[in-house]
Amino acid sequence: MTDLGLYIHIPFCRSRCDYCGFYSIGRQPDDRFVAALRKEMEMRSPAFAERTCDTLYLGGGTPSSLTEDQLERVMEGARQYFHISDTAEITMEMNPCDMTESYLENAKALGINRISIGVQSHDDRLLRAIGRLHSASDAEKAVKRAYKAGFHNMSIDLMYELPGQTVEDFRKSLLWAVHLPITHVSVYSLILEEGTRFKQLADRGALPRPTENDSWLMYRDMCRILPHYGFERYEISSFARKGFRSRHNRKYWELKDYLGLGPAAASRIGRQRFEVNPGVRLYEKELLTGNPPPMEVENLSEKDEMEEYCFLHLRMKEGIPLDDFARRYGEDIRYWYGDKITMLEKQHLLKEENRRLFFTFHGAALGNYVFEQFLRDE
Ligand code: SF4
């Protein structure tokens, strides 16, 4: 049996960021939630008794909204009900405002060895405009405090194409980030998600958007500046120093098994996808009365899985391993996508080398267009 990735979703945030489409609610997690989460661990873990978790990821929402004591109970539960490998990568997303010396020391003592921080920008004006509660200086101090506390594997998130952000603003954020004691940067362009304040503003034409040329310049700066300072682009939005690629995220991109616990958490086990229903109240009620959490289950067809295999592998620098594809689906990839691949190669968006098919620089910039070509007609 291969190793398992374990994901724990903590769907609470102090306030709502204007761009965020994730499920989260605006209050602190309470002990009732932690008790329900531990109950879910107890109920779902027997099916994975033979598996070892080599990655554990606490995501959200804001996992650092858990108190020190609550975090201890969550980690204790994970270790009690699952086999967590001694060498597991254990990541926790943290908000700079929560990263006090005491919080960091407690997290370290609990075995957390990687932190991911939603920094987003080096510009306080932009941070306020997108609804973040921290300043750039809070973020910088938090990263340095964590480094001092012994966290030498840290990732930060940055955003571009923010309303009112100039090419120069984004360049400054990149140049600031590369001098922080971090090992990984994830960079996202602003996506206007349904149900967010930004989407509503954009629909009314009241959200300033960058020009196409500025978007391109920001993208190009990201692809030049981060590698220049030693952060290799190994996935479409992810850059890492050597030896510091995210092991957990790789499970998603390689279609490996992962189990998600907590409201709105998704899992993938073989060809089945599960998603716990998002409502926290219902989640707590069901689990604390001895019932499993309400969940949607989807059985992926071979076609769905093949499409996903292509999208997700193309996200990675190494692209689609063609021999693995042929072993998995019984035919060479060109049997299914021959015309499309030839067209994308002619457009210089895809390239094949050493039995791998991957994005060119321009292909990665036009990712969605390329991904669409891998949707198969019925
Ligand atoms: S971006 Fe993060 S902190 Fe902001 S609302 Fe979404 S999950 Fe919460």
Side-chain angles (χ1 to χ4, degrees):
M1 284 266 183
T2 55
D3 288 339
L4 180 74
L6 188 61
Y7 175 80
I8 299 177
H9 192 67
I10 310 291
F12 301 91
C13 293
R14 242 172 241 109
S15 71
R16 197 113 199 113
C17 303
D18 294 324
Y19 56 87
C20 178
F22 288 128
Y23 172 71
S24 75
I25 50 176
R27 65 168 168 91
Q28 290 286 116
D30 54 18
D31 291 351
R32 191 175 153 79
F33 171 76
V34 175
L37 185 58
R38 288 185 53 117
K39 198 72 202 163
E40 190 187 358
M41 293 177 186
E42 184 187 340
M43 286 182 128
R44 295 183 72 190
S45 57
F48 303 94
E50 306 296 316
R51 317 275 300 254
T52 298
C53 301
D54 63 341
T55 66
L56 166 58
Y57 193 104
L58 287 111
T62 310
S64 59
S65 59
L66 290 165
T67 63
E68 291 182 23
D69 178 57
Q70 289 169 339
L71 177 61
E72 192 170 333
R73 271 177 283 147
V74 169
M75 288 301 293
E76 209 181 71
R79 291 190 196 281
Q80 178 181 343
Y81 296 112
F82 294 91
H83 303 288
I84 312 279
S85 143
D86 290 344
T87 54
E89 175 192 84
I90 306 183
T91 307
M92 180 172 175
E93 291 177 358
M94 288 196 193
N95 184 309
C97 303
D98 301 321
M99 295 167 66
T100 62
E101 213 170 296
S102 154
Y103 200 86
L104 289 161
E105 274 164 16
N106 182 56
K108 184 104 185 78
L110 294 173
I112 287 150
N113 51 31
R114 183 171 183 272
I115 302 181
S116 172
I117 310 161
V119 168
Q120 317 309 7
S121 170
H122 176 235
D123 187 318
D124 288 344
R125 176 186 53 93
L126 286 173
L127 288 171
R128 275 194 302 276
I130 61 175
R132 302 292 299 188
L133 296 176
H134 67 268
S135 66
S137 141
D138 292 335
E140 180 165 340
K141 282 188 201 142
V143 168
K144 290 182 176 165
R145 205 176 297 126
Y147 187 83
K148 210 165 141 207
F151 288 98
H152 295 168
N153 188 2
M154 274 189 279
S155 177
I156 66 165
D157 291 350
L158 289 180
M159 294 183 78
Y160 67 105
E161 298 187 355
L162 294 173
Q165 187 180 34
T166 63
V167 174
E168 191 53 31
D169 293 335
F170 182 55
R171 193 173 297 148
K172 277 189 191 151
S173 286
L174 291 168
L175 287 167
W176 167 70
V178 294
H179 291 102
L180 294 173
I182 54 171
T183 50
H184 191 282
V185 189
S186 299
V187 195
Y188 304 103
S189 63
L190 175 67
I191 309 274
L192 296 170
E193 306 270 7
E194 281 306 330
T196 62
R197 189 169 156 266
F198 274 3
K199 176 75 169 85
Q200 290 166 1
L201 287 172
D203 288 347
R204 298 206 309 264
L207 192 78
R209 301 293 292 139
T211 62
E212 223 171 88
N213 190 48
D214 280 359
S215 293
W216 166 249
L217 292 174
M218 290 188 206
Y219 175 83
R220 202 194 55 184
D221 277 350
M222 159 182 107
C223 298
R224 283 186 180 167
I225 293 175
L226 294 172
H228 180 79
Y229 285 91
F231 293 86
E232 179 201 26
R233 188 184 197 193
Y234 71 99
E235 189 265 346
I236 211 156
S237 334
S238 312
F239 298 76
R241 291 207 182 275
K242 199 168 173 4
F244 289 98
R245 293 182 177 197
S246 163
R247 280 162 52 192
H248 186 80
N249 287 349
R250 190 164 161 186
K251 291 202 185 279
Y252 302 147
W253 304 322
E254 291 187 346
L255 271 64
K256 297 276 162 59
D257 289 354
Y258 58 89
L259 174 67
L261 306 171
S267 311
R268 174 195 194 100
I269 307 294
R271 272 213 190 138
Q272 277 194 317
R273 207 162 27 205
F274 305 82
E275 194 169 331
V276 178
N277 289 6
V280 171
R281 282 232 175 105
L282 182 64
Y283 173 84
E284 291 173 351
K285 182 174 151 270
E286 292 299 332
L287 281 153
L288 296 176
T289 48
N291 298 315
M295 231 178 324
E296 306 280 335
V297 183
E298 189 188 354
N299 291 305
L300 291 175
S301 65
E302 179 170 278
K303 171 185 169 291
D304 294 338
E305 200 208 58
M306 189 188 295
E307 290 172 359
E308 214 172 271
Y309 181 99
C310 294
F311 306 154
L312 293 171
H313 278 84
L314 278 176
R315 292 186 65 94
M316 293 184 287
K317 183 182 172 207
E318 286 76 15
I320 301 175
L322 297 177
D323 293 335
D324 183 65
F325 180 100
R327 246 189 326 272
R328 200 168 170 129
Y329 301 110
E331 298 284 354
D332 190 87
I333 194 166
R334 288 181 194 263
Y335 173 83
W336 304 100
Y337 296 112
D339 294 349
K340 296 286 172 65
I341 293 174
T342 308
M343 173 188 86
L344 292 165
E345 284 173 330
K346 279 194 186 137
Q347 293 171 333
H348 304 290
L349 300 177
L350 280 186
K351 198 171 165 186
E352 185 186 328
E353 234 171 61
N354 301 328
R355 299 289 298 141
R356 286 185 173 270
L357 186 69
F358 50 86
F359 275 143
T360 62
F361 179 75
H362 286 278
L366 295 177
N368 286 342
Y369 165 73
V370 179
F371 293 151
E372 275 167 27
Q373 311 309 314
F374 282 84
L375 291 173
R376 268 173 49 203
D377 298 333
E378 287 296 341

